[in-house]
Coordinates of all heavy atoms in Angstrom, one line a residue:
H1 N -107.1 188.6 19.1 CA -106.6 188.0 20.3 C -105.1 188.1 20.3 O -104.4 187.4 21.2 CB -107.0 186.5 20.3 CG -108.5 186.3 20.5 ND1 -109.1 185.1 20.2 CD2 -109.5 187.1 20.8 CE1 -110.4 185.2 20.3 NE2 -110.6 186.4 20.7
S2 N -104.5 188.8 19.5 CA -103.0 188.9 19.3 C -102.3 189.5 20.5 O -101.1 189.2 20.7 CB -102.6 189.6 18.1 OG -103.1 191.0 18.1
L3 N -103.0 190.3 21.3 CA -102.4 191.0 22.5 C -102.9 190.5 23.8 O -102.8 191.3 24.8 CB -102.5 192.5 22.3 CG -101.7 193.1 21.1 CD1 -101.9 194.6 21.0 CD2 -100.2 192.9 21.3
L4 N -103.6 189.4 23.9 CA -104.1 188.9 25.1 C -102.9 188.4 26.0 O -102.0 187.8 25.5 CB -105.1 187.7 24.9 CG -106.4 188.1 24.2 CD1 -107.3 186.9 24.1 CD2 -107.1 189.2 25.1
V5 N -103.0 188.6 27.3 CA -102.0 188.3 28.2 C -102.1 186.8 28.7 O -101.1 186.1 28.7 CB -102.0 189.2 29.5 CG1 -100.9 188.8 30.5 CG2 -101.8 190.6 29.0
Y6 N -103.3 186.4 29.0 CA -103.5 185.0 29.6 C -102.9 183.9 28.8 O -102.2 183.0 29.4 CB -105.0 184.8 29.8 CG -105.3 183.6 30.6 CD1 -105.4 183.6 32.0 CD2 -105.6 182.4 30.0 CE1 -105.7 182.5 32.8 CE2 -106.0 181.2 30.7 CZ -106.0 181.3 32.1 OH -106.3 180.2 32.8
P7 N -103.0 183.9 27.5 CA -102.5 182.7 26.7 C -101.0 182.7 26.7 O -100.4 181.6 26.4 CB -103.0 183.0 25.3 CG -104.2 183.9 25.5 CD -103.9 184.7 26.6
T8 N -100.3 183.8 27.1 CA -98.8 183.8 27.1 C -98.2 183.2 28.3 O -97.0 182.9 28.4 CB -98.3 185.2 26.9 OG1 -98.6 186.0 28.1 CG2 -98.9 185.9 25.7
L9 N -99.1 182.9 29.4 CA -98.6 182.4 30.6 C -98.5 180.9 30.6 O -99.2 180.2 29.8 CB -99.6 182.8 31.8 CG -99.8 184.3 31.9 CD1 -100.8 184.6 33.1 CD2 -98.5 185.1 32.2
S10 N -97.7 180.3 31.5 CA -97.6 178.9 31.7 C -98.8 178.4 32.4 O -99.6 179.2 32.9 CB -96.3 178.6 32.5 OG -96.5 179.1 33.8
E11 N -99.0 177.1 32.3 CA -100.2 176.5 33.0 C -100.2 176.8 34.5 O -101.3 177.0 35.0 CB -100.2 175.0 32.7 CG -100.5 174.6 31.3 CD -100.6 173.1 31.1 OE1 -100.6 172.4 32.1 OE2 -100.8 172.6 30.0
K12 N -99.1 176.8 35.1 CA -99.0 177.0 36.5 C -99.4 178.5 36.8 O -100.2 178.7 37.7 CB -97.6 176.8 37.0 CG -97.3 177.2 38.5 CD -95.9 176.9 38.8 CE -95.6 177.4 40.3 NZ -95.7 178.8 40.4
L13 N -99.0 179.4 36.1 CA -99.3 180.8 36.3 C -100.8 181.1 35.9 O -101.4 181.9 36.6 CB -98.4 181.7 35.5 CG -96.9 181.7 36.0 CD1 -96.1 182.7 35.1 CD2 -96.8 182.1 37.4
Q14 N -101.3 180.4 34.9 CA -102.7 180.5 34.6 C -103.6 180.0 35.8 O -104.6 180.6 36.1 CB -103.0 179.7 33.3 CG -102.5 180.3 32.1 CD -102.8 179.5 30.8 OE1 -103.3 178.4 30.9 NE2 -102.5 180.1 29.6
R15 N -103.2 178.9 36.4 CA -103.9 178.4 37.6 C -103.9 179.4 38.7 O -104.9 179.7 39.4 CB -103.4 177.1 38.0 CG -103.7 175.9 37.1 CD -103.4 174.6 37.8 NE -102.0 174.5 38.2 CZ -101.1 173.9 37.5 NH1 -101.4 173.5 36.3 NH2 -99.9 173.8 37.9
E16 N -102.7 180.0 38.9 CA -102.6 181.1 40.0 C -103.5 182.3 39.7 O -104.1 182.8 40.6 CB -101.2 181.5 40.1 CG -100.2 180.4 40.7 CD -98.8 180.9 40.8 OE1 -98.6 182.2 40.7 OE2 -97.9 180.1 41.1
W17 N -103.6 182.6 38.4 CA -104.5 183.7 38.0 C -105.9 183.4 38.3 O -106.7 184.2 38.8 CB -104.2 184.1 36.6 CG -104.8 185.5 36.2 CD1 -105.7 186.2 36.9 CD2 -104.6 186.2 35.0 NE1 -106.1 187.4 36.3 CE2 -105.3 187.4 35.1 CE3 -103.8 186.0 33.9 CZ2 -105.4 188.4 34.1 CZ3 -103.7 187.0 32.9 CH2 -104.5 188.2 33.0
D18 N -106.3 182.1 37.9 CA -107.7 181.6 38.1 C -108.0 181.7 39.6 O -109.1 182.1 40.0 CB -107.8 180.2 37.5 CG -107.7 180.2 36.0 OD1 -107.9 181.2 35.4 OD2 -107.4 179.1 35.5
E19 N -107.1 181.2 40.4 CA -107.4 181.2 41.9 C -107.5 182.7 42.4 O -108.4 182.9 43.3 CB -106.2 180.5 42.6 CG -106.1 179.0 42.3 CD -104.9 178.4 42.8 OE1 -104.1 179.1 43.4 OE2 -104.7 177.2 42.7
A20 N -106.7 183.6 41.9 CA -106.8 185.0 42.3 C -108.2 185.6 41.9 O -108.8 186.3 42.6 CB -105.7 185.8 41.7
E21 N -108.6 185.2 40.7 CA -109.9 185.7 40.2 C -111.0 185.2 41.1 O -112.0 185.9 41.4 CB -110.1 185.3 38.7 CG -109.2 186.0 37.7 CD -109.8 187.4 37.4 OE1 -110.9 187.7 37.9 OE2 -109.1 188.1 36.7
Q22 N -110.9 183.9 41.4 CA -112.0 183.3 42.3 C -112.0 183.9 43.7 O -113.1 184.2 44.2 CB -111.7 181.8 42.4 CG -112.8 181.0 43.1 CD -114.2 181.1 42.4 OE1 -114.2 181.2 41.2 NE2 -115.3 181.0 43.2
A23 N -110.8 184.1 44.2 CA -110.7 184.8 45.5 C -111.3 186.2 45.5 O -111.9 186.6 46.5 CB -109.3 184.8 46.0
R24 N -111.0 186.9 44.4 CA -111.5 188.2 44.3 C -113.1 188.2 44.2 O -113.8 189.0 44.7 CB -110.9 188.9 43.1 CG -111.4 190.4 42.9 CD -111.2 191.2 44.0 NE -111.7 192.6 43.8 CZ -112.2 193.4 44.8 NH1 -112.2 193.0 46.0 NH2 -112.7 194.6 44.5
Y25 N -113.6 187.3 43.4 CA -115.0 187.1 43.2 C -115.7 186.8 44.5 O -116.8 187.3 44.7 CB -115.3 186.0 42.1 CG -116.7 185.7 41.9 CD1 -117.5 186.6 41.1 CD2 -117.3 184.6 42.5 CE1 -118.8 186.3 40.9 CE2 -118.7 184.3 42.3 CZ -119.4 185.2 41.5 OH -120.8 184.9 41.3
E26 N -115.1 186.0 45.3 CA -115.7 185.7 46.6 C -115.4 186.7 47.7 O -115.7 186.4 48.9 CB -115.3 184.3 47.0 CG -115.7 183.2 46.1 CD -115.1 181.8 46.4 OE1 -114.4 181.8 47.4 OE2 -115.4 180.8 45.7
D27 N -114.8 187.8 47.4 CA -114.4 188.9 48.3 C -113.5 188.4 49.4 O -113.5 188.8 50.5 CB -115.7 189.5 49.0 CG -116.4 190.4 48.0 OD1 -115.8 190.9 47.1 OD2 -117.7 190.5 48.1
L28 N -112.7 187.4 49.1 CA -111.7 186.9 50.0 C -110.4 187.8 50.1 O -109.7 187.7 51.1 CB -111.3 185.4 49.7 CG -112.4 184.4 49.7 CD1 -111.9 183.0 49.3 CD2 -113.1 184.3 51.1
I29 N -110.2 188.5 49.0 CA -109.1 189.5 49.0 C -109.6 190.8 48.5 O -110.6 190.9 47.8 CB -108.0 189.0 48.1 CG1 -108.5 188.7 46.7 CG2 -107.3 187.7 48.7 CD1 -107.4 188.3 45.7
T30 N -108.9 191.9 48.8 CA -109.2 193.2 48.4 C -108.7 193.4 46.9 O -108.0 192.6 46.4 CB -108.6 194.3 49.3 OG1 -107.2 194.2 49.2 CG2 -109.0 194.1 50.7

């Protein structure tokens, strides 16, 4: 896990990534 990107982000940016993942999963964004 030494080169994972997600753990290096702040909580705010992690939430933004989670929201982007959800939007992509629901086909709300390309």
Side-chain angles (χ1 to χ4, degrees):
H1 297 162
S2 61
L3 291 177
L4 291 181
V5 178
Y6 189 86
T8 67
L9 303 177
S10 65
E11 292 184 3
K12 175 180 177 296
L13 294 180
Q14 287 180 352
R15 287 195 300 270
E16 292 183 11
W17 194 348
D18 293 340
E19 293 172 358
E21 288 284 350
Q22 185 64 29
R24 177 59 182 151
Y25 176 77
E26 297 176 359
D27 287 331
L28 299 178
I29 56 176
T30 63

